[in-house]
Each structure stands twice: as C-alpha cells, then as structure tokens.
Amino acid sequence: TTAAAYGEMVLSDDTATEGTAECVDVKRALMKKVAQLTKVVVHLNARNDEAEARYDKLGKDFEDEIRTAVGDAASKIGTQRNQLEELIDPAQLAAEAGHRTSPWVCKREHVC
C-alpha cells in the first residue's frame, strides 16, 4: 500500500515545506468544519430532546383532561340514574298515585 492509496499527500523534497504548510491549513480548516458540525449536531439533539419533553407533557395533560371529563360524565350519569330510579320506584309511584287520586275519588263518590 502506498501513501497515495490512503489519500495522503506525497511530497517531493522541493515542495515539502510548502506542502506541509498547505496540509496544516487544510487540516485546520477540516478541524474547524468538524467542530462546527459537532455544534450543530449537539444543538439539534438538544432541540429534539426539548420537543420530545414538550410532546410528552402535552400528551400527559391531554390524558389528565380526558380522565377528568370521563370522571365528570360518570358522576353526572350516576346522578341521573339515581334520579330515574327514584322516579320509577313502584312503591313510590303507587303511593303518589294513591295520593293524587284520593281527591278525585272523594269528589266522584261525593264522600268528602
């Protein structure tokens, strides 16, 4: 394997000093670019983490809101069911019917 096969600069003795300075400049530029890209990646990862946290909180808030709405609805349904059971209680209906019909029976039979 040769140095050229690995992408290394092959320099002659005449251009060694000039080539080394150029090589250092290229390395420095590449290192700056890698540093910039690393900062970008770190920034994007941080933004992604923040967005995930925000969406997790939003999802939990929605679940809490749904749970509250379901609880309120269940409570209202229970209240309405109890009222309905009171209204259709046979003993209470019979007592109320007797109470309401007694004045009419009295008037009809003229026994008042």
Side-chain angles (χ1 to χ4, degrees):
T1 59
T2 64
Y6 290 111
E8 295 176 7
M9 292 182 100
V10 179
L11 303 173
S12 65
D13 291 338
D14 296 341
T15 60
T17 306
E18 183 180 311
T20 304
E22 187 178 308
C23 185
V24 169
D25 290 341
V26 169
K27 278 187 176 180
R28 188 172 294 133
L30 287 174
M31 288 172 50
K32 279 179 111 177
K33 194 51 85 172
V34 167
Q36 287 175 342
L37 291 174
T38 302
K39 286 180 184 179
V40 169
V41 168
V42 168
H43 175 72
L44 290 175
N45 283 335
R47 281 184 51 188
N48 186 45
D49 291 344
E50 290 170 3
E52 284 179 3
R54 208 172 31 248
Y55 287 127
D56 287 344
K57 183 183 180 317
L58 188 61
K60 288 177 184 176
D61 290 347
F62 282 145
E63 288 175 7
D64 290 344
E65 189 173 334
I66 290 169
R67 212 173 290 116
T68 300
V70 167
D72 290 346
S75 175
K76 287 179 183 178
I77 289 171
T79 301
Q80 294 295 318
R81 181 179 294 140
N82 291 340
Q83 288 177 352
L84 180 62
E85 287 174 0
E86 289 175 8
L87 291 174
I88 62 171
D89 180 28
Q92 186 179 355
L93 287 174
E96 189 176 324
H99 177 70
R100 290 186 184 219
T101 57
S102 63
W104 292 102
V105 171
C106 181
K107 284 183 183 180
R108 185 178 56 187
E109 295 178 6
H110 302 287
V111 192
C112 300

